[in-house]
């Protein structure tokens, strides 16, 4: 086939390389920027993403590891304290170095690269069998075909500025500091012998109080010197004389991009052009590269183009959506720094390691047994029996059926269940119970909603309104109806958000999730762990 790719980022170049190797297809890559022109600094990969990419293109991974940096540790710094965890496994490489390596390999394989060349998908569809949109989060192709892709772009909360620093930190380092405008955080990691990425995050309210310049409206390549001076001052103690470096560095918001369809006719998208995942989980480049691997495989193995594109999307979409959900949970932690400002560094470390809602204490302890010694110790399971949530008869916590009364002898909390749309109705029932049982511990049980900002915020607002009207002794966050991974993410985020409002929160889990549930108690997302018993 004749294939045109719009965009010579990592995803587009990997696709061109593999299409040449796997099927000998004719491939032209069109890039409007000059060769080697790029913004940003280091690109980070986990050990798991490297293993997946190595199967498809071992020479790409070899080039990355040879020219970049590797490390195993994560470090948290706050209030003069440093906490470190090991066993995690990361690698990073300068973005320009990665692009150069992919350029060379793609050209050696026979792909034709056209830099400083504008490309229009409609025009290319008249000359090529397949056109691939790999033109990033600002994709002009997606904008031109927004209706066909069913594309949605939602600006994120909070601001970030991406710098380099002329010093190699020796770990994935999370810095937390206070400024005149509010808490500030930074992700720092090495990508070469004397360079690190230094990515600063500032909450939306703090950014507005500071009166900083909106960077999105500035021309490409513009550096915000005010932002650089602010960040250098806030993190001066951690920089220790090192200098921040700019490369199109300015305050920006991160867009959440999703698409109902990844292809329309003979036009197909990959990477940030059709989906994004917040950089705090380090998956944007990885997702684009893995999209390219799967798309190249399908286009080279299947003669039916429609079937190939459908198979590509059906294989990749569940993986991408799972990463997007995890990335949302990570983003919301960084964009709400006030919610974890009071945590001690050890608890903050555990919360950061488990911020996507998927990691469990027993897994973390296998990676790094030293976690058992940080703070007052991380354990896989609590000591002694856990309170059980029951629906009939006396128990530790009773979920009351509509219209029912607690059985004689029940001494634990009494709960009324509600979803986000029935909280006020539950409030009426709780008022009645409060009048009937003035000394009982009363609470609300609410199932986790979808893992996204709006559904979680809606639940939190409804619960807060109810608590102002009817005193609640506990709010229990129970498993929802979503798929297991999505449900875990939503439950952890909801518990964290409720706890931040001052609510006494219990995390309810099934018996096979005890380690995961206990992790959320240890990381301060919930005050108690309950089990369903079945």
């Amino acid at each position: 086939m004749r294939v045109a790719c719009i965009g010579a980022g990592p995803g587009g170049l990997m696709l061109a390389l593999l299409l040449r190797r796997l099927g000998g297809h004719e491939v032209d890559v069109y890039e409007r920027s000059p060769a080697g022109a790029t913004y940003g600094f280091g690109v980070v990969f986990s050990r798991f993403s490297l293993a997946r990419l190595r199967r498809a293109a071992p020479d790409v991974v070899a080039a990355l590891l040879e020219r970049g940096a590797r490390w195993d540790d994560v470090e948290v710094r706050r209030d003069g304290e440093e906490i470190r965890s090991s066993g995690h496994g990361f690698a990073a490489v300068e973005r320009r170095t990665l692009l150069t390596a992919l350029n060379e390999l793609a050209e050696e394989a026979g792909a034709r690269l056209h830099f400083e060349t504008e490309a229009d998908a409609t025009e290319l569809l008249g000359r090529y069998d397949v056109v691939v949109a790999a033109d990033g989060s600002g994709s002009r192709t997606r904008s031109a075909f927004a209706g066909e892709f069913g594309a949605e772009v939602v600006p994120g909360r909070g601001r970030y500025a991406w710098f380099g620093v002329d010093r190699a930190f020796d770990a994935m380092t999370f810095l937390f500091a206070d400024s005149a405008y509010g808490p500030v955080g930074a992700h720092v990691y090495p990508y070469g012998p004397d360079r690190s990425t230094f990515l600063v995050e500032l909450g939306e309210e703090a950014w507005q109080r500071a009166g900083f310049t909106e960077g999105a409206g500035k021309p490409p390549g513009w550096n915000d010197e005010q932002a650089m001076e602010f960040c250098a001052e806030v993190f001066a103690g951690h920089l220790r004389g090192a200098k921040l470096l700019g490369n199109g560095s300015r305050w920006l918001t991160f867009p959440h991009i999703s698409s109902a369809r990844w292809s329309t006719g003979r036009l197909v998208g990959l990477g940030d052009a059709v989906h994004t995942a917040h950089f705090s989980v380090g998956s944007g480049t990885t997702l684009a590269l893995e999209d390219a691997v799967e798309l190249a495989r399908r286009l080279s193995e299947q003669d039916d183009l429609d079937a190939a594109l459908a198979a590509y999307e059906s294989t990749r979409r569940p993986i991408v959506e799972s990463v997007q959900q995890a990335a949302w949970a990570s983003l919301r932690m960084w964009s709400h720094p006030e919610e974890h400002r009071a945590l001690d560094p050890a608890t903050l470390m555990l919360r950061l390691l488990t911020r996507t809602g998927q990691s469990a204490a027993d897994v973390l302890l296998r990676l790094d047994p030293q976690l058992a010694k940080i703070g007052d110790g991380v354990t896989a399971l609590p000591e002694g029996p856990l309170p059980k949530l029951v629906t009939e008869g006396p128990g530790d916590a009773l979920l009351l059926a509509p219209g029912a009364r607690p059985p004689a002898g029940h001494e634990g909390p009494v709960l009324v269940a509600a979803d986000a749309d029935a909280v006020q109705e539950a409030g009426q029932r709780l008022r009645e119970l409060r009048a009937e049982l003035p000394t009982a511990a009363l609470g609300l049980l609410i199932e986790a909603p979808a893992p996204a900002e709006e559904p979680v915020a809606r639940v939190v607002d409804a619960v807060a309104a109810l608590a102002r009207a009817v005193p609640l002794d506990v709010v229990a966050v129970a498993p929802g109806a979503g798929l297991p991974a999505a449900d875990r993410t939503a439950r952890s985020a909801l518990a964290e958000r409720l706890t931040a409002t001052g609510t006494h929160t219990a995390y309810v889990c099934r018996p096979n999730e005890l380690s995961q549930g206990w992790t959320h108690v240890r990381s301060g997302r919930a005050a108690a762990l309950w089990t369903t018993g079945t």
Side-chain angles (χ1 to χ4, degrees), residues 456-515:
V456 170
R458 191 157 56 94
V459 171
V460 172
D461 290 345
V463 172
L466 174 60
R468 288 192 293 269
V470 183
L472 297 176
D473 296 293
V474 63
V475 174
V477 177
L483 294 173
D487 179 58
R488 288 192 295 269
T489 296
R491 255 187 295 164
S492 64
L494 179 57
E496 180 177 301
R497 187 74 187 89
L498 287 169
T499 296
T501 66
T503 302
H504 183 79
T505 307
Y507 186 93
V508 182
C509 66
R510 303 175 181 92
N512 63 346
E513 299 176 318
L514 292 184
S515 179

Side-chain angles (χ1 to χ4, degrees), residues 36 63 107 130 165-166 181 187 242 286 300-301 377 410 462 470 500 503:
E107 287 189 316
V130 182
V165 61
D166 60 354
Y181 314 112
H187 322 232
T286 297
S300 299
E301 291 180 354
H410 176 78
V470 183
T503 302

Side-chain angles (χ1 to χ4, degrees), residues 169-245:
F169 283 64
D170 65 351
M172 174 68 76
T173 308
F174 296 118
L175 308 177
F176 296 91
D178 293 316
S179 75
Y181 314 112
V184 187
H187 322 232
V188 188
Y189 58 85
Y191 63 84
D194 59 356
R195 290 288 187 273
S196 298
T197 291
F198 202 98
L199 208 160
V200 180
E201 298 217 44
L202 188 63
E204 184 70 17
E205 290 77 13
W207 180 83
Q208 291 177 356
R209 283 194 293 270
F212 286 134
T213 302
E214 170 60 71
K218 296 296 183 178
W222 178 77
N223 285 306
D224 187 338
E225 297 297 331
Q226 183 189 28
M228 188 177 293
E229 291 173 7
F230 167 76
C231 295
E233 180 181 352
V234 168
F235 294 109
H238 303 286
L239 290 169
R240 299 171 189 170
K243 182 182 178 182
L244 291 183
L245 309 171

Side-chain angles (χ1 to χ4, degrees), residues 33 39 88 94 120 139 269 274 280 284 399 419 443 455 487 521 526:
S33 300
Y39 298 107
H88 302 283
E94 184 185 22
D120 176 77
S139 172
V274 286
S280 62
L399 179 59
D419 60 27
D487 179 58
V521 174

Side-chain angles (χ1 to χ4, degrees), residues 337-401:
E338 68 284 350
E339 292 184 6
H340 52 75
R341 178 62 190 90
L343 297 180
D344 63 88
T347 304
L348 179 59
M349 166 67 86
L350 188 58
R351 184 174 290 193
L352 280 163
L353 293 178
T354 61
R355 64 190 181 278
T356 67
Q358 304 303 319
S359 300
D362 55 349
V363 174
L364 293 173
L365 287 167
R366 286 198 296 271
L367 290 174
D368 182 10
Q370 295 303 309
L371 286 173
K373 299 179 181 179
I374 72 167
D376 57 357
V378 176
T379 58
L381 293 173
E383 295 182 2
L386 288 172
K388 288 185 179 180
L389 177 67
V390 298
T391 55
E392 58 184 31
D396 298 300
L398 175 66
L399 179 59
L400 204 62

Side-chain angles (χ1 to χ4, degrees), residues 305-358:
L305 178 59
D306 290 341
L309 298 183
Y312 154 67
E313 181 172 345
S314 65
T315 300
R316 291 293 300 157
R317 180 179 285 277
I319 298 168
V320 167
E321 290 182 347
S322 176
V323 173
Q324 286 183 308
Q325 291 163 358
W328 163 76
S330 180
L331 161 64
R332 77 157 314 281
M333 179 174 176
W334 284 99
S335 59
H336 295 79
E338 68 284 350
E339 292 184 6
H340 52 75
R341 178 62 190 90
L343 297 180
D344 63 88
T347 304
L348 179 59
M349 166 67 86
L350 188 58
R351 184 174 290 193
L352 280 163
L353 293 178
T354 61
R355 64 190 181 278
T356 67
Q358 304 303 319

